Amino acid sequence: MVDSLLLQFMLIGILGVGSQWVAWRFRLPAIVVMSIVGLLAGPVLGIMNPEEDFGDLYKPIISLAVAVILFEGSLNLDFKEVRGLGRPVFRIVTIGAFLSWILGALAAHYVAGLSWAVAFVIGGLFIVTGPTVILPLLRQAKLKPRPAKILKWEGIIVDPIGALLAVFAFEIIEFILGTDVNPSALFTFFLASVFAVLLGLVCGKGVGWMFETGYVPEFLKSPVVFTVVIACFTIADEVTHETGLLSVTAMGMTLANMHISSIADMRHFKENISLLLISTIFVMLTASLTQETLVEIFNIQTIGFVLLMLFIVRPLSIFISTWGTDLSKSEKLLVGWIAPRGIVALTVASYFSSILLDSGFEDASILISITFALVFTTVVAHGFSIGWLSKKLGLSMEGPPGVLISGGSPFSTGIAKVLEELKVPVLIADSSWERLSKARSTGIKSYHGEILSEQTEYYLDMTPYEYLIAATELDSYNALVCTTFVPEFGRNNLFQLSLSNREGDNLEGLVHTIGGRVLFKEGASWEDLNDMVENGYVFRKTNITEQYTYKKYLENIDEHALLLFIKKPTGKIEFYSSEVESRAENGDVVVSLTPPSKEFERIQEKLEEQRKDPKKK
């Protein structure tokens, strides 16, 4: 057991972030890796037990982390995004949540053997599919926009509702079974919920107004937001337990729909904080479980309850609630299956376990075991199945990593055509119909619109594309595009053309701090590349084999040819860049822009071979 709290914090951080890296490296569900790592560090090997070691600080740390995660998730709930999905989403978070509560309570009573009181509390709790688990799964699965948005909206909105339902069920139980019947307690609970929502709205509007009017300097904006989030959560939670989650959700949605530029700028920073919190908190929760809790999970009643929740309760509530909507059968099947539970379920279950035990409900002692059984089972089952099932149902965007090109031109069209021939998804985006005309006439997929516009994210699905090439004639615009999309694509997957030699542009100092990696080689500017295409240069694909090695290829290639990219057998694209040395291997395809003289010589050689051996025709 690690005695030092400082060492424990270090170990939790390493295990959490390390789990995320392992999941990314080996394409595994991150939540599953974190759960296993936490179990190994806690009940299995006994290295640490954060709940015991942190003492009174444990629950506040978890609660504040959940509040920040939920707020960050709700910042993505822009009502523009839900266009055309309003009816299904509304039904799922209302009718679907209610059905899930009732059916879950029935399953908990008749299968898990819990009393009606505890069953209704746990039934309300288990409707949650929060952002701590659903958002990492969506990043992993690359779903099509419709099902992805439905699952995201449900997860973030239902998260506080589930906690409130559990509180509401407990208040009802106390009201019915209490010796001092007090109807005002229920009324107070509803007032507290309304107060929480209003507090979130006021905090959101207040922060937004301060940012828009310049009352907060840029360097203080992130600290102010986090401070207000914690204050909003704490005030509401002190009034009535668990209403704080409702308050921060309302605050996040308010800010998201005010469309303040500074909030959008900070969103990616908060996403990083949220990812760090998810990693560490999940490890803390699983490491705090006891061996007794793990043993109780394998109880036949617990197993039966979990299976019923997975295969009956969730699908039934989704199919009934979405009856008559425009959701396809495939979308209903996917949404009806994917419902992983996470941090909120574990934390709230821990709270109610002690409260119900103090109130005399002895069967509440197995509440944590049942909760963890459902959390771990759903995380594993849905984490490993979402990719496979979405592909089977035709709802996945999974495929070779695609290329998004900003800027229409003869060169853009040429390289896009080659990528398309190599079965690589490609799209050219430009705000000018004229610059897109060549791509459209060639049949290349295109998007007419400003790629930096706020509307682009609603009309252009960027899920299939892992690489972005900024290939306009304006160097400063290319740098701006690359800098804007760093959070979405990552700096290593962003490329821009080499700087032009036009007089008046002095961006040499700028390009080293912002923008993407320089494509191909220094000097291969927009003008040069398009001149090459206009002068008859040809895009040439060459297979590297054991007989024709990369070394021989480099020896034979024309000195004026330009190496563009390497296509790996896995589908990965490796663009040539002056910043990274690329090397092709056996099985790769190398694409180059070759002078017409070299291409003419190659054609002449083929004709000569055919004259000598007519069978080669």
Side-chain angles (χ1 to χ4, degrees):
M1 178 74 73
V2 178
D3 296 326
S4 169
L5 286 182
L6 190 59
L7 282 175
Q8 280 213 35
F9 270 118
M10 179 200 72
L11 186 59
I12 289 168
I14 291 173
L15 292 177
V17 176
S19 298
Q20 292 277 2
W21 182 86
V22 169
W24 165 79
R25 182 67 179 81
F26 298 101
R27 300 180 67 84
L28 298 170
I31 300 295
V32 175
V33 179
M34 287 187 285
S35 299
I36 294 173
V37 166
L39 289 174
L40 289 174
V44 176
L45 300 177
I47 297 173
M48 61 180 175
N49 187 330
E51 186 173 13
E52 287 184 3
D53 298 332
F54 290 177
D56 293 338
L57 288 176
Y58 177 78
K59 287 184 179 179
I61 290 172
I62 299 291
S63 298
L64 290 176
V66 171
V68 172
I69 293 166
L70 196 56
F71 169 75
E72 186 276 323
S74 62
L75 272 181
N76 296 310
L77 297 183
D78 191 336
F79 290 122
K80 289 183 180 178
E81 188 185 77
V82 81
R83 287 173 181 169
L85 295 175
R87 195 179 177 200
V89 169
F90 178 76
R91 284 196 176 188
I92 288 172
V93 301
T94 53
I95 299 171
F98 178 77
L99 287 172
S100 183
W101 178 27
I102 300 302
L103 294 173
L106 291 172
H109 177 71
Y110 288 109
V111 179
L114 298 175
S115 63
W116 280 113
V118 178
F120 269 97
V121 171
I122 203 173
L125 176 60
F126 285 163
I127 71 168
V128 300
T129 61
T132 57
V133 282
I134 201 66
L135 295 182
L137 286 188
L138 294 180
R139 280 195 292 268
Q140 164 206 339
K142 292 187 178 180
L143 296 182
K144 287 185 176 179
R146 270 175 67 94
K149 288 176 182 177
I150 290 172
L151 288 169
K152 182 179 78 172
W153 274 77
E154 180 202 8
I156 295 171
I157 292 176
V158 171
D159 222 30
I161 292 176
L164 286 176
L165 274 180
V167 176
F168 173 70
F170 181 70
E171 294 286 347
I172 291 286
I173 292 164
E174 282 199 323
F175 173 73
I176 295 173
L177 302 179
T179 53
D180 297 325
V181 178
N182 186 9
S184 63
L186 287 178
F187 183 66
T188 303
F189 169 72
F190 284 114
L191 281 181
S193 300
V194 173
F195 168 76
V197 173
L198 292 176
L199 179 63
L201 290 171
V202 170
C203 289
K205 286 287 185 182
V207 169
W209 176 80
M210 290 174 69
F211 284 8
E212 284 184 316
T213 53
Y215 278 101
V216 179
E218 200 67 34
F219 73 94
L220 275 180
K221 286 183 176 179
S222 289
V224 165
V225 168
F226 277 105
T227 303
V228 175
V229 168
I230 292 170
C232 184
F233 171 79
T234 305
I235 293 169
D237 214 57
E238 286 296 314
V239 173
T240 298
H241 199 67
E242 300 305 334
T243 57
L245 297 178
L246 188 64
S247 193
V248 294
T249 302
M251 178 182 169
M253 290 180 68
T254 301
L255 283 170
N257 289 278
M258 290 179 73
H259 302 113
I260 303 169
S261 59
S262 52
I263 293 294
D265 294 339
M266 287 189 294
R267 180 178 288 132
H268 302 301
F269 169 71
K270 291 190 288 293
E271 284 176 355
N272 293 334
I273 295 295
S274 180
L275 185 65
L276 180 62
L277 289 174
I278 289 172
S279 305
T280 54
I281 298 306
F282 221 88
V283 170
M284 286 177 64
L285 285 168
T286 50
S288 298
L289 296 171
T290 63
Q291 292 182 352
E292 292 74 18
T293 301
L294 296 181
V295 171
E296 288 175 355
I297 288 172
F298 297 99
N299 183 294
I300 189 65
Q301 290 176 303
T302 302
I303 294 172
F305 170 74
V306 169
L307 293 175
L308 203 62
M309 291 292 289
L310 259 69
F311 296 103
I312 302 295
V313 173
R314 171 67 178 185
L316 199 59
S317 62
I318 292 297
F319 270 85
I320 293 175
S321 63
T322 57
W323 184 271
T325 65
D326 62 345
L327 289 187
S328 66
K329 186 178 179 181
S330 297
E331 289 170 332
K332 290 179 182 178
L333 282 170
L334 183 68
V335 175
W337 169 245
I338 302 299
R341 278 67 169 186
I343 290 174
V344 172
L346 281 173
T347 54
V348 180
S350 176
Y351 166 76
F352 277 109
S353 175
S354 58
I355 294 293
L356 288 167
L357 282 170
D358 292 341
S359 300
F361 298 100
E362 295 182 3
D363 54 335
S365 60
I366 64 170
L367 204 58
I368 296 177
S369 299
I370 290 177
T371 304
F372 182 74
L374 184 63
V375 168
F376 189 75
T377 304
T378 54
V379 161
V380 172
H382 300 151
F384 281 107
S385 65
I386 187 170
W388 172 84
L389 183 61
S390 60
K391 287 180 186 176
K392 288 291 183 182
L393 296 175
L395 299 175
S396 173
M397 301 295 288
E398 189 71 43
V403 180
L404 175 61
I405 303 174
S406 172
S409 68
F411 171 76
S412 296
T413 303
I415 195 171
K417 188 171 179 59
V418 175
L419 287 165
E420 200 173 59
E421 290 171 357
L422 292 171
K423 308 299 182 186
V424 176
V426 62
L427 180 141
I428 301 176
D430 203 303
S431 58
S432 167
W433 280 114
E434 184 180 352
R435 289 193 291 267
L436 284 176
S437 59
K438 189 170 183 62
R440 290 166 57 230
S441 63
T442 315
I444 302 297
K445 189 176 179 181
S446 62
Y447 170 75
H448 177 243
E450 173 54 63
I451 197 171
L452 294 177
S453 169
E454 180 186 327
Q455 303 301 318
T456 300
E457 63 179 298
Y458 304 118
Y459 298 109
L460 175 60
D461 179 27
M462 296 189 183
T463 307
Y465 311 108
E466 291 190 17
Y467 308 97
L468 187 148
I469 298 176
T472 72
E473 66 271 31
L474 299 175
D475 297 327
S476 54
Y477 182 81
N478 291 340
L480 179 60
V481 168
C482 289
T483 303
T484 301
F485 286 98
V486 165
E488 284 80 8
F489 290 86
R491 196 169 294 277
N492 288 338
N493 291 343
L494 289 166
F495 301 90
Q496 67 182 85
L497 300 183
S498 181
L499 294 179
S500 303
N501 297 318
R502 292 192 301 266
E503 293 183 6
D505 285 341
N506 185 18
L507 301 176
E508 287 295 338
L510 183 66
V511 79
H512 299 299
T513 55
I514 68 169
R517 290 155 61 183
V518 176
L519 261 182
F520 314 136
K521 66 178 182 179
E522 294 288 348
S525 65
W526 184 89
E527 290 90 347
D528 295 332
L529 292 170
N530 282 285
D531 284 345
M532 292 166 76
V533 174
E534 296 292 344
N535 290 327
Y537 273 62
V538 179
F539 291 90
R540 185 178 179 187
K541 302 186 292 289
T542 305
N543 293 306
I544 303 301
T545 63
E546 291 182 4
Q547 291 75 29
Y548 191 66
T549 63
Y550 186 58
K551 184 179 179 181
K552 288 182 180 178
Y553 171 75
L554 293 178
E555 290 172 355
N556 295 335
I557 194 169
D558 190 284
E559 60 178 338
H560 298 295
L562 179 67
L563 297 173
L564 301 179
F565 64 87
I566 301 169
K567 165 83 175 338
K568 299 288 184 181
T570 59
K572 182 183 176 183
I573 303 295
E574 192 173 305
F575 288 98
Y576 282 94
S577 171
S578 58
E579 300 173 28
V580 179
E581 184 178 350
S582 298
R583 181 175 181 81
E585 299 172 348
N586 184 27
D588 293 349
V589 178
V590 180
V591 177
S592 61
L593 193 55
T594 308
S597 57
K598 184 71 177 178
E599 191 67 18
F600 179 75
E601 290 174 8
R602 193 169 66 88
I603 294 171
Q604 289 292 103
E605 288 174 4
K606 280 193 172 183
L607 291 173
E608 188 66 29
E609 288 177 6
Q610 290 173 3
R611 278 194 291 270
K612 292 179 179 178
D613 188 358
K615 292 182 180 181
K616 290 187 177 182
K617 287 186 180 180

